[in-house]
Amino acid sequence: MIQSTSQPIQPVERAGLVLGLVLAGVLMWFVRGYITDDTFIHLQYARNLATGHGLVFNVGERVYGCTSPLWVTLLADAMLLRIDGLWFSKMAGYAATLASVGLFLQLMRRTVTNPVVRAAATVAWASHAWMIRWAMSGMETPLAVALTLAGFVAFTEGRQWGSRPVRTGTLWSLAALTRPEAGLLLLFWGSFLLIDTDTRESLRRFVAGVLPPTLIYGAWLVFARFYFGTFWPQTLAAKAAGSGDPQFVLDNLGRTLKLIAATDGAYLVILALGLVFAFKLVFAARPANAQRFLPWCWVIGLPMLYNLRGVPVLSRYALPILPVLAWLAWRVVDRWWVGDAEASSARRRTGQVLACALALGVTVQNLVVYREKVVPQVQSFSPALRTSLIRWGRWFGAYTPPGTVIAAPDIGALGYYSQRRVIDLAGLVTPEMIPALVRAPMEDAVASFAFAAFSRPDYLMDRDPEAYGLLRRSPYARALTPLGVAAIPNLGIARPTPAVYSVYRIDWAVFDSLRAARVAREEVQ
């Protein structure tokens, strides 16, 4: 049975929405100062776009290193209006996060029968620790979540799922321009539309559904191919470099499940139990077309894609699937625990009590993750970023000439504040590094001066557990003049170990001498 939102919003739903918005707003307040280095990658691309240099990180270098062209364009528009880009990115994330709470309730109203379940689920989603973590980080993640949810709201509207193909395809195309992984959602969408094409009406839906992605996302792909020389972001290759080992894939899959279970473990259990013990009941509530499988393909397919590609999954990568995972679980609760209008009042009351208990448990679990993981990481990382990469970026901008070139493993704040050309040792905007990263870990590639094969930067920033660790690791240590260090307590929740950034000036004459001597020794041997 397909639900409808034609009926007025119930008081319990209104209360759930207000409580959810207030809860999300309060939780965001305590992490409002969060910033990441990747935030400044978007800001650097946006500033160059706004100032007429094009969609580039380093002026004159067309590298597809921005995974979110829509987000970068919005930031560039704000900059053109003389609005501070960092402030705007935070406010846009704040607004998108609140919008996702309302969109989640709207999705529940379209597909869940019981108003109490709808309200309880909305409050639980508003407390989601990973969503709150990225809400005001300046990253594109909140917008990607909101657009994905808005697409599912449109997808579930009408007589059967997929009856609003133009709106659905448009929203998911915009989601794909915000996070490239949403392109997989478009692929699923088009495939199921095609499978369901058996009448003239369904053929019309298919054409209407694929037209917006073709015009919107297809146009971007054509532009990217001509402008950057590739259809796909360079980051997809950089993040997967050196991670094709089967054991890495297994370990990464385990980390992915652990990350999702930390905030959504109860939903995973409910879905598993529902599929085992109430399979027919769960799927009986769905429309009788192939598109009923699309949400399942999305929540399963994206993590599998990440792991097959060897991409280490972070919470912001998984976030676009998590509200859909929660929604599927709440549909199981609604059908299995509460029942439809024909169920007895005693069963409905019992189901509502169980649903509220589940929502309370999920909320408490997320608040614990928020308190134990999110807030400590934000409070330790953000100040350290300001005293390390941001401080050094400003130093390079003040004390080096415009033609200076800097090599570094984390490039966002350094490039944004220095306004100097940056060689990306992680390969995100410097594709020439990828072959070296495939052969060896980044630490070894930096120690061997692999970047010397294509560039000779004036300065090198190294990341190591100890200060000036490169002087111990590199055979070319004598070519390095230490300039200073900056410590950072962690690189994220997934990488809690401390790191030290050490800055060096490179003497290339000494390097050439050392390399020549090394080559001579190898020839003798």
Side-chain angles (χ1 to χ4, degrees), residues 387-388 391-392 395-396 459-463 466-469 471 480-487 500-505:
T387 58
S388 58
R391 180 173 67 86
W392 274 106
W395 185 89
F396 281 115
Y459 296 89
L460 171 63
M461 175 177 281
D462 179 52
R463 191 178 65 208
E466 61 182 47
Y468 299 126
L471 298 179
L480 299 172
T481 301
L483 298 179
V485 298
V500 179
Y501 291 100
S502 301
V503 182
Y504 309 89
R505 182 184 291 110

Side-chain angles (χ1 to χ4, degrees), residues 175-228:
L177 291 178
T178 307
R179 283 299 306 174
E181 299 88 343
L184 180 65
L185 185 56
L186 289 177
L187 180 62
F188 288 142
W189 165 239
S191 300
F192 285 120
L193 278 175
L194 182 60
I195 292 172
D196 285 331
T197 302
D198 54 2
T199 64
R200 180 175 296 181
E201 177 65 19
S202 59
L203 178 61
R204 184 197 66 80
R205 281 199 303 269
F206 172 76
V207 174
V210 299
L211 189 59
T214 301
L215 295 178
I216 298 173
Y217 194 58
W220 164 257
L221 291 177
V222 171
F223 170 81
R225 179 64 180 85
F226 281 97
Y227 191 81
F228 299 114

Side-chain angles (χ1 to χ4, degrees), residues 354-392:
L354 291 175
C356 290
L358 172 64
L360 179 61
V362 171
T363 301
V364 170
Q365 179 185 16
N366 276 273
L367 291 178
V368 170
V369 174
Y370 172 82
R371 186 190 66 182
E372 301 295 330
K373 298 290 186 180
V374 174
V375 173
Q377 198 270 332
V378 168
Q379 292 179 345
S380 63
F381 180 83
S382 300
L385 183 64
R386 293 185 176 91
T387 58
S388 58
L389 296 176
I390 292 176
R391 180 173 67 86
W392 274 106

Side-chain angles (χ1 to χ4, degrees), residues 38 59 69 85 89 95 100 124 168 182 184 197 204 247 353 378 424 429 468 494 510:
D38 286 353
V59 175
S89 69
S100 75
T168 304
L184 180 65
T197 302
R204 184 197 66 80
Q247 186 59 48
V353 171
V378 168
D424 185 4
V429 299
Y468 299 126
V510 174

Side-chain angles (χ1 to χ4, degrees), residues 67 88 106 144 156 207 230 278 331 370 383 394 416 418 459 467 469 499 505 507 512:
T67 54
F88 177 82
Q106 185 78 341
T156 55
V207 174
T230 178
R331 278 178 59 81
Y370 172 82
R394 287 172 170 157
Y416 183 75
S418 71
Y459 296 89
R505 182 184 291 110
D507 189 328
D512 289 334

Side-chain angles (χ1 to χ4, degrees), residues 325-473:
L325 176 72
W327 164 54
L328 291 174
W330 283 110
R331 278 178 59 81
V332 172
V333 168
D334 183 55
R335 292 296 299 171
W336 190 16
W337 295 2
V338 182
D340 55 22
E342 298 178 358
S344 66
S345 59
R347 177 187 171 183
R348 289 200 301 273
R349 284 195 299 270
T350 301
Q352 290 171 357
V353 171
L354 291 175
C356 290
L358 172 64
L360 179 61
V362 171
T363 301
V364 170
Q365 179 185 16
N366 276 273
L367 291 178
V368 170
V369 174
Y370 172 82
R371 186 190 66 182
E372 301 295 330
K373 298 290 186 180
V374 174
V375 173
Q377 198 270 332
V378 168
Q379 292 179 345
S380 63
F381 180 83
S382 300
L385 183 64
R386 293 185 176 91
T387 58
S388 58
L389 296 176
I390 292 176
R391 180 173 67 86
W392 274 106
R394 287 172 170 157
W395 185 89
F396 281 115
Y399 297 106
T400 64
T404 298
V405 180
I406 310 160
D410 298 297
I411 62 169
L414 202 63
Y416 183 75
Y417 285 103
S418 71
Q419 300 191 48
R420 303 292 183 260
R421 180 169 175 255
V422 177
I423 302 299
D424 185 4
L425 299 175
L428 301 180
V429 299
T430 306
E432 295 87 350
M433 275 297 297
I434 298 299
L437 297 175
V438 171
R439 293 191 300 268
M442 184 176 64
E443 293 77 9
D444 295 342
V446 173
S448 64
F449 277 47
F451 51 86
F454 58 86
S455 178
R456 294 202 160 193
D458 304 287
Y459 296 89
L460 171 63
M461 175 177 281
D462 179 52
R463 191 178 65 208
D464 191 86
E466 61 182 47
Y468 299 126
L470 194 59
L471 298 179
R472 172 183 49 81
R473 299 186 346 251

